[in-house]
Amino acid sequence: MHDVAIAFPPLIVMRAAVAAVWLYEGLWCKVLGRAQLEAQVVAKVPRFGPRFGQSFLKALGVIEVVLAAWVISAVYPGACATAEVALLVVLNVNGLLWSRDIIPDPAGMIVKNIAFLVLAWACGAIPGR
């Protein structure tokens, strides 16, 4: 069997895919509050979640929407990718630390987020618009 060469996806398509994830997670899930599980995860953080969880979640959602815009803008893509990786690692570690028992598939969450961050990192590693 012969391998079929395919073209690398255009950079704007890759960036749009990454930005779409941040926009969905930030705007739909957090700012508009359409993902109740995320509120439950944040609420389980001791001394923080029950009191500031909803405010934190909304602020995090705004940050994720800003990340979506940053990805699409292609301004300092390496710094953007670094910020994406840092944020998602911190969120995943804290989610697993405080709320592992209510996350439906912790291993699946990690695998999916690694795949997502590889794409985000590729966007950051390719210069140009």
Side-chain angles (χ1 to χ4, degrees), residues 45-92:
V45 177
R47 296 187 311 252
F48 174 79
R51 195 163 169 200
F52 303 107
Q54 284 300 323
S55 299
F56 171 80
L57 209 54
K58 299 278 186 200
L60 178 58
V62 170
I63 290 168
E64 290 177 344
V65 169
V66 169
L67 269 177
W70 190 6
V71 170
I72 286 296
S73 76
V75 174
Y76 300 113
C80 182
T82 302
E84 292 174 87
V85 170
L87 179 63
L88 203 51
V89 166
V90 167
L91 292 174
N92 276 251

Side-chain angles (χ1 to χ4, degrees), residues 5-78:
I6 61 172
F8 202 75
L11 183 55
I12 189 65
V13 171
M14 293 170 48
R15 286 195 174 125
V18 172
V21 171
W22 286 118
L23 187 61
Y24 169 77
E25 288 292 330
L27 183 62
W28 183 257
C29 294
K30 294 175 183 74
V31 173
L32 298 177
R34 303 297 183 158
Q36 197 55 36
L37 179 62
E38 294 194 11
Q40 294 168 357
V41 167
V42 171
K44 290 193 73 169
V45 177
R47 296 187 311 252
F48 174 79
R51 195 163 169 200
F52 303 107
Q54 284 300 323
S55 299
F56 171 80
L57 209 54
K58 299 278 186 200
L60 178 58
V62 170
I63 290 168
E64 290 177 344
V65 169
V66 169
L67 269 177
W70 190 6
V71 170
I72 286 296
S73 76
V75 174
Y76 300 113

